[in-house]
Amino acid sequence: MLERDVLVVGAGPAGLAASIEAAKAGADVLLVDLNMKPGGQLFKQIHKFFGSSAHRSGTRGFDIGKMLLDEAEKAGVEIWLQSTVIGAFPGNLIAIEKGIDGGEKEVITLKSKKVIIATGASENVVRFKGWTTPGVMGAGAAQTMINVNHVKPGNKIVMVGSGNVGLIVSYQLMQAGCDVVALIEAAPKIGGYAVHAAKIRRAGVPIYTKHTVVEAIPGEDGTVCKVVIAEVDDKFQPIPGTEKEIEADTVTIGAGLKPATDMVKLEKCRLTFNGPFGGFIPLHNDKMETSKKGVYVAGDATGVEEANTALEEGRIAGISAVESLGLIEPKEAEKMRIEIWKRLEALRMGPFGERRQIEKNNILAEYEEKVVAAVEMD
Amino acid sequence: MALINTGYLEYEELSQIQKLPSDERYAKGPVAVIECVQEIPCNPCEAACRFGAIHIGDPITNLPTCSHDKCTGCGVCVSKCPGLAIFIVNKAYSENTATVAFPYEYMPTPEKGMEVTAVNRKGEEVCDAKVVNVMNPAAFDHTPVVTVEIPKEYADEVRSIKRL
Amino acid sequence: MCVRVEQHCILDVDKKEKKVKITVDGKEIEAYEGEPILAALLASGIKVNRYTVKKHEPRGLFCGIGQCSDCSMVVDGKANVRTCITPVKEGMVIMTQDGLK
């Protein structure tokens, strides 16, 4: 049977960082990802990243992706693409549907001493009349099309949602040559960073706060040709008589993300619900270990944040996994973790970050209370 | 704050949050105007300035401050700011005109000598403008910095141009 | 109507991959080898990938990263292929998926 020291699931920033740390320490690492290329969502991030200049901020996301792939290769990380975990069984056994040449799949059972889950997140949906019409899509989907595949999803875009995703993707759609004809936000305030809003305003994009999409109207070909928006009241209900029709062929929805927890459920890790982090997430400790011994988590799957925090959490998970394999000294591992947690704290400051710091602390505390205490009771 | 409801800064709002260059400093030539007004974890501008004019310090969520006397108006920070929130304003360009330099990451990239339309923070057309400089070296990593000449009275208003 | 990104300030959008031909519902279109089938279709203005079983409603690109199944099509005789994560190969025969689960 195929055996590995560490299996990492998901080749985004968290999974890559975890793989690199583990492989650098001498572990045999297998990284699997369902996509055609590794990098997760990094390769569609063409803007310069915020964060600390000591850690590659000011560098464009896809360049960070390239650096990580380089490091992973040098560290000897084995990557399987178009591959999906389909089962987890007692005795550290994992079933993987492996993509092989020619588009075929083969099911392989792997025995892995440690598992790191870095499955990321999926986009939330806003439902309105006609939301399933071709031409209505996730903001991230549109971003993948323009920045990775270099194909425009449409020409006239209505963006829904003013979080950082909605604002950044609006800007990037214009960079690709599309027109963003409106940005719609149900709340009275813009959700994302002011600087992101400012750059699309300068480019002439109207931002409609306290508005919602009422309907996407298909044309003869069955795809979107008009979008109806309306003002909303304090309960986010459309106010009759305020409807406005906008000519557009595309509606992109940037309504936040939800942690992808299929894999942590497969491993029967204990979950908790956390609104600010986007939904159900696995409980974990400061080593990023879940309620199941030997199973670690990192990145958006532990609560939606951004690429920098995902990278740092991935590093912690990788270090902790190889520490438990005896490949690095506990003292050394603890020293590295303390450094990384410090950097994470800096990323979770200010009006946009402090809430996440509070929630992270709550999750660590809940782990102590529910997981550690339960083990001690046994 | 008007900004979080509308997406653009009113000049008054900006001047309450950021220390802007004094009239005396403006009279000396080009200087950076930092329009970063929220405490977000970001500090590349600090490392970008080789004159030590921009300070953030610890924690990295501090707002950047600019020592305008140290600033030479070179424009490197304009290309390095991930938020595209730094501008170089030169109110001493000529008797009646000023220049504003801003990051411009759309295609096509403007060329020196082009007649363009200047816009304000809301994207509204303000006046005609002439492109007097385009800097786009490799170190700017695909963020061209475009300088336009405009009538002096619009120097605090113009922040970009209409997409070509 | 050309919907490929033709010029970009940051990205190199010149396609270096081999140009190939694929067939969609009996019509031949151009595509680049290795790009997702879905992208090639969008570049040819095709936005509907399948029709739903019960109500016969059109569906197209929604998540773009293999998480939903709205872009499923029949590829070389195989149904339910997520075209957003399946690379183009020369001579592929693709059909709009209609009435399949």
Side-chain angles (χ1 to χ4, degrees), chain A residues 259 261 269-291 297-305 313 341 348 354-373:
Chain A
T261 51
C269 304
R270 187 162 180 161
L271 299 175
T272 186
F273 185 84
N274 189 296
F277 271 143
F280 280 97
I281 51 171
L283 282 178
H284 61 80
N285 60 15
D286 62 357
K287 296 178 172 180
M288 300 312 292
E289 190 170 21
T290 65
S291 63
V297 284
D300 276 0
T302 72
V304 172
E305 295 189 78
E313 284 194 353
W341 277 107
R348 290 173 180 142
E354 58 200 9
R355 181 72 194 268
R356 286 183 279 120
Q357 184 63 55
I358 293 166
E359 296 301 334
K360 202 58 167 182
N361 292 341
N362 288 343
I363 286 153
L364 296 175
E366 195 179 336
Y367 181 93
E368 289 299 317
E369 186 189 315
K370 293 195 173 145
V371 180
V372 179

Side-chain angles (χ1 to χ4, degrees), chain A residues 123-124 136-143 159 169 251-254, chain C residues 61-64:
Chain A
E123 289 192 271
N124 289 332
V136 180
M137 65 192 71
Q143 196 185 23
M159 177 66 74
V169 176
V251 181
T252 50
I253 303 169
Chain C
L61 162 64
F62 195 78
C63 84

Side-chain angles (χ1 to χ4, degrees), chain A residues 128-145:
Chain A
F128 45 83
K129 197 175 169 197
W131 73 278
T132 57
T133 310
V136 180
M137 65 192 71
Q143 196 185 23
T144 302
M145 288 307 129

Side-chain angles (χ1 to χ4, degrees), chain B residues 41-62:
Chain B
C42 187
N43 68 0
C45 57
E46 186 176 35
C49 182
R50 63 191 175 93
F51 304 102
I54 303 179
H55 181 72
I56 288 180
D58 188 33
I60 58 169
T61 42
N62 287 342

Side-chain angles (χ1 to χ4, degrees), chain B residues 9-160:
Chain B
L9 273 163
E10 295 287 2
Y11 188 76
E12 296 242 312
E13 198 175 349
L14 170 66
S15 59
Q16 281 162 20
I17 304 171
Q18 272 286 351
K19 197 185 89 186
L20 298 172
S22 62
D23 288 344
E24 294 78 54
R25 177 60 190 85
Y26 271 132
K28 286 180 191 161
V31 63
V33 175
I34 299 183
E35 304 202 355
C36 175
V37 293
Q38 287 173 326
E39 293 168 335
I40 52 183
C42 187
N43 68 0
C45 57
E46 186 176 35
C49 182
R50 63 191 175 93
F51 304 102
I54 303 179
H55 181 72
I56 288 180
D58 188 33
I60 58 169
T61 42
N62 287 342
L63 282 184
T65 54
C66 183
S67 310
H68 298 119
D69 292 334
K70 288 188 195 167
C71 173
T72 65
C74 72
V76 172
C77 57
V78 177
S79 76
K80 297 288 179 188
C81 170
L84 308 188
I86 308 182
F87 306 86
I88 304 292
V89 176
N90 183 0
K91 293 188 180 179
Y93 188 72
S94 78
E95 196 180 334
N96 299 316
T97 64
T99 63
V100 176
F102 50 87
Y104 188 87
E105 294 180 326
Y106 301 106
M107 288 299 274
T109 304
E111 280 166 32
K112 202 173 162 174
M114 257 182 185
E115 300 287 340
V116 292
T117 306
V119 298
N120 61 16
R121 296 180 183 82
K122 306 178 203 181
E124 294 165 345
E125 295 177 17
V126 174
C127 58
D128 290 335
K130 189 177 166 192
V131 178
V132 292
N133 196 18
V134 178
M135 293 190 285
N136 192 15
F140 283 15
D141 188 12
H142 304 274
T143 304
V145 175
V146 174
T147 308
V148 294
E149 182 184 7
I150 49 164
K152 203 171 259 183
E153 64 262 38
Y154 300 124
D156 290 332
E157 215 179 310
V158 165
R159 285 299 176 264
S160 189

Side-chain angles (χ1 to χ4, degrees), chain C residues 10-27:
Chain C
I10 293 154
L11 294 166
D12 175 8
V13 292
D14 282 343
K15 289 271 176 201
K16 281 144 199 108
E17 295 81 7
K18 193 176 135 199
K19 239 185 203 173
V20 297
K21 293 224 160 70
I22 58 176
T23 310
V24 186
D25 294 333
K27 216 181 103 196

Side-chain angles (χ1 to χ4, degrees), chain A residues 21-203:
Chain A
E21 290 300 332
K24 276 202 309 206
D28 232 348
V29 180
L30 174 63
L31 171 60
V32 300
D33 193 286
L34 80 105
N35 290 284
M36 288 159 53
K37 285 174 188 160
Q41 310 315 311
L42 272 175
F43 284 93
K44 64 191 197 194
Q45 310 303 334
I46 64 167
H47 53 285
K48 292 175 178 171
F49 275 16
F50 292 76
S52 165
S53 57
H55 289 93
R56 299 178 186 148
S57 73
T59 308
R60 297 188 188 277
F62 65 93
D63 286 325
I64 292 177
K66 281 183 210 159
M67 292 177 203
L68 288 173
L69 289 187
D70 238 34
E71 275 186 65
E73 201 190 326
K74 278 190 197 128
V77 176
E78 181 183 0
I79 305 180
W80 290 1
L81 294 171
Q82 294 189 275
S83 301
T84 312
V85 169
I86 55 170
F89 309 100
N92 293 344
L93 297 183
I94 304 277
I96 302 170
E97 192 189 54
K98 182 189 182 187
I100 47 176
D101 286 347
E104 294 303 308
K105 305 272 182 186
E106 180 187 0
V107 176
I108 288 178
T109 311
L110 168 80
K111 192 178 170 77
S112 184
K113 290 177 192 154
K114 306 288 165 193
V115 174
I116 299 173
I117 301 171
T119 45
S122 58
E123 289 192 271
N124 289 332
V125 163
V126 177
R127 288 169 188 83
F128 45 83
K129 197 175 169 197
W131 73 278
T132 57
T133 310
V136 180
M137 65 192 71
Q143 196 185 23
T144 302
M145 288 307 129
I146 48 173
N147 294 346
V148 179
N149 301 321
H150 308 154
V151 173
K152 292 186 254 182
N155 289 310
K156 285 188 166 177
I157 320 274
V158 172
M159 177 66 74
V160 184
S162 72
N164 278 335
V165 169
L167 298 172
I168 291 173
V169 176
S170 292
Y171 180 64
Q172 293 175 353
L173 281 160
M174 291 188 283
Q175 289 183 301
C178 306
D179 283 323
V180 179
V181 292
L183 186 142
I184 313 296
E185 169 59 59
K189 288 176 185 168
I190 290 164
Y193 291 168
V195 285
H196 290 316
K199 65 190 185 192
I200 68 167
R201 279 302 309 239
R202 287 203 292 274

